[in-house]
Amino acid sequence: MTHMHVAGSIHADASSAAPVWLEKPVDANVLVDGLWSGTAVRGQGGEMHVGGLPVSEIMAQAGSPVYAIDEIDFRGRALTWAQAFSGWKVYYAGKSFLSGTIARWVSEEGLNLDVCSLGELTVALRAGFDPARIGLHGNNKSEELLRLALSTGVGRIIIDSSDEITRLERIGAELGVRPPVLIRVTTGVEAHTHEYIATAHEDQKFGFSIAGGQALVALVRCQGSPHLDLVGLHSHIGSQIFDTNGFEVAARRTLRLMSQFKEATGVTLPELDLGGGFGIAYTIDDSPATPADLARGLSDIIEHECRAFGLDKPLLSLEPGRAISGPPGTALYTVGTIKDVELGGGQSRRYISVDGGMSDNIRPALYAAEYSAVVANRVTTAPPTLSRVVGLHCEGGDILVRDVFLPSDIAIGDVIAVPAAGAYSRSMASNYNHTPRPAVVGVRDGKVSVILRRETLDDLLALDAGLD
Ligand SMILES: *Cc1c(COP(=O)(O)O)cnc(C)c1O
């Protein structure tokens, strides 16, 4: 979960070295239930295995740091969402992590795919993903992106602005196509982890405001357009959400809009998309609902609200990203330096520097996101010590795991494994400090397969016109 933002060493809180939610484990070697991908285990001798491979073997083949995606676990989660929400259309949110291989897994498990940029759409199309099963998002879709989407027959376009309506009408007319479109609305609900707020305040860049009336205007405009096939409404309320409270208000407000639209035009909109944002466990403090529980909760809410507004139940869709791609991913780093820093009052904090950092996982620096970690290459009876796993970058806020108890005998060369690292880490990676981005590999049945190869310095320097 995301706690109050306390990024950077300058804000280090010396009075309480460990946050209240973090219990000191009896045994820091344990792979805590619910945090790790399905095939992660301690093998004989204590080394962690994932996908049937010891971590040392994965790193021998793929280098360090590396992101290992547990294929069985990824596919299993995709299928679980599809089955829990049978009768719905489930779109995997590609922005959480997308590559040719991932697009194929998603397709093979029967899911649809959301993309939100020219790059993501190009990956999906080149991977052979059926365009009819692709949804396109974005608040500033370029001419080139819209042309590609319309000419390849992308299944739905989620419209985010009046300018986009104008642009789509023009391109649709020019290409002689009538794209299916949804209008993205802002419901005034903002959900974040365990809390959500529902207000009229909508000061953000996405969507058309329901409260302000722009959403109804956009719907009427699209309905009247000979170049657009208006199919419904879209709402996305946030991320890392653990229950259905926020969705209840969003569903009520979107369905009320559907009923107002019906009164105004006589037309019943056939589809409603409730977006993504379903939370996962990054630490022992997180307890996400199961897809089955969410499906039951959301279906009940929709039925109740439809009855209240006298609407037929629309075709429903949703867009989980993190919940599918996060847990199957394990980040593996190698320990380089270890430093104990005195905090005063007899307390100290151990800083463990690894060979990655904010360039491969910006979430702790960007959102104060919390993670967990273990020493993966061995087990030990050494007592747990409060530790902070940091990267190699020239930034005090370059933190990977803010607070974690790791064995006190941790040593240079040990392997640190971070669970739930499959979403929004490699996909948000940068080349800060001219750091090549790590490889992403699939692991399954004792075999490593490259999903994204490691970037080399030559890859990076090839862009530099001032170098030979
Ligand atoms: C980011 C996003 C998602 C996916 O969010 P997750 O937290 O990964 O489930 C889905 N839909 C839209 C419109 C998004 O912007």
Side-chain angles (χ1 to χ4, degrees):
M1 66 178 283
T2 305
H3 297 276
M4 225 173 63
H5 190 73
V6 284
S9 50
I10 45 169
H11 301 299
D13 178 4
S15 66
S16 62
V20 282
W21 61 268
L22 183 65
E23 270 172 55
K24 187 169 185 163
V26 177
D27 179 353
N29 302 298
V30 171
L31 303 179
V32 174
D33 264 2
L35 288 186
W36 297 87
S37 77
T39 69
V41 288
R42 290 278 182 188
Q44 274 177 5
E47 183 172 5
M48 181 180 158
H49 289 53
V50 58
L53 287 151
V55 292
S56 58
E57 182 56 32
I58 298 169
M59 296 170 97
Q61 291 190 38
S64 177
V66 61
Y67 282 82
I69 312 290
D70 184 337
E71 179 179 347
I72 298 288
D73 189 81
F74 188 108
R75 287 180 181 271
R77 283 176 206 275
L79 189 61
T80 299
W81 278 88
Q83 288 175 341
F85 284 88
S86 73
W88 296 51
K89 285 200 284 183
V90 180
Y91 287 78
Y92 168 66
K95 75 180 201 217
S96 67
F97 181 58
L98 187 64
S99 74
T101 303
I102 296 294
R104 272 189 292 277
W105 292 355
V106 166
S107 176
E108 285 164 12
E109 299 308 326
L111 276 69
N112 306 290
L113 177 65
D114 262 345
V115 296
C116 59
S117 70
L118 183 61
E120 287 179 8
L121 178 57
T122 303
V123 169
L125 294 173
R126 286 214 200 154
F129 207 98
D130 177 4
R133 286 165 56 200
I134 296 176
L136 176 61
H137 278 279
N139 62 301
N140 188 16
K141 305 177 188 78
S142 68
E143 180 90 13
E144 187 184 4
L145 174 55
L146 289 173
R147 278 184 186 279
L148 180 63
L150 264 57
S151 61
T152 53
V154 160
R156 62 185 209 179
I157 295 179
I158 294 86
I159 294 183
D160 200 86
S161 68
S162 322
D163 291 332
E164 186 179 351
I165 298 177
T166 307
R167 208 169 285 150
L168 264 180
E169 284 191 293
R170 173 170 50 74
I171 300 171
E174 214 177 286
L175 298 178
V177 294
R178 196 158 173 268
V181 299
L182 281 77
I183 288 291
R184 176 158 176 173
V185 299
T186 46
T187 56
V189 179
E190 196 185 318
H192 211 52
T193 71
H194 302 289
E195 287 154 38
Y196 77 94
I197 39 176
T199 62
H201 177 70
E202 302 178 335
D203 188 5
Q204 48 112 344
K205 71 175 183 175
F206 291 111
F208 294 89
S209 165
I210 294 180
Q214 291 90 346
L216 186 58
V217 170
L219 287 172
V220 170
R221 181 173 168 205
C222 289
Q223 180 64 31
S225 170
H227 304 298
L228 302 176
D229 174 18
L230 176 66
V231 296
L233 288 186
H234 181 284
S235 150
H236 172 73
I237 59 172
S239 66
Q240 197 49 2
I241 302 163
F242 287 98
D243 58 35
T244 55
N245 293 342
F247 291 99
E248 185 161 2
V249 180
R252 185 173 311 133
R253 291 179 180 176
T254 47
L255 289 167
R256 182 188 299 135
L257 176 61
M258 279 195 173
S259 103
Q260 285 166 349
F261 180 72
K262 189 179 165 191
E263 271 167 38
T265 63
V267 175
T268 302
L269 290 170
E271 291 190 30
L272 174 63
D273 191 304
L274 292 177
F278 310 100
I280 64 170
Y282 288 102
T283 73
I284 52 170
D285 200 33
D286 300 326
S287 40
T290 64
D293 285 344
L294 287 166
R296 214 170 302 119
L298 292 177
S299 297
D300 287 350
I301 288 167
I302 297 287
E303 257 158 50
H304 181 265
E305 299 299 329
C306 280
R307 229 174 333 188
F309 291 112
L311 285 169
D312 291 337
K313 200 173 110 189
L315 175 61
L316 296 164
S317 51
L318 79 171
E319 305 168 333
R322 178 196 319 268
I324 292 172
S325 62
T330 303
L332 299 171
Y333 302 95
T334 305
V335 174
T337 62
I338 300 161
K339 191 185 284 182
D340 289 323
V341 174
E342 295 305 320
L343 303 179
Q347 290 187 310
S348 72
R349 191 191 310 283
R350 174 162 291 180
Y351 280 84
I352 298 165
S353 297
V354 297
D355 53 353
M358 64 192 295
S359 59
D360 66 85
N361 189 353
I362 190 73
R363 295 190 64 257
L366 192 59
Y367 309 122
E370 305 283 357
Y371 280 89
S372 317
V374 297
V375 169
N377 52 310
R378 62 187 176 98
V379 287
T380 164
T381 54
T385 297
L386 185 64
S387 305
R388 178 165 290 172
V389 182
V390 297
L392 53 74
H393 297 284
C394 289
E395 282 279 337
D398 174 26
I399 292 168
L400 284 168
V401 187
R402 177 175 303 278
D403 296 292
V404 60
F405 283 95
L406 292 173
S408 60
D409 67 349
I410 192 162
I412 294 167
D414 274 339
V415 174
I416 298 261
V418 174
Y424 304 108
S425 34
R426 180 58 178 80
S427 68
M428 295 180 110
S430 76
N431 293 120
Y432 183 44
N433 294 145
H434 284 258
T435 308
R437 290 171 298 175
V440 181
V441 296
V443 289
R444 175 178 180 165
D445 303 332
K447 288 200 189 70
V448 174
S449 57
V450 176
I451 290 176
L452 292 175
R453 80 156 163 82
R454 178 176 309 282
E455 213 165 27
T456 64
L457 266 183
D458 283 338
D459 288 332
L460 287 187
L461 300 189
L463 302 177
D464 189 331
L467 296 176
D468 293 330

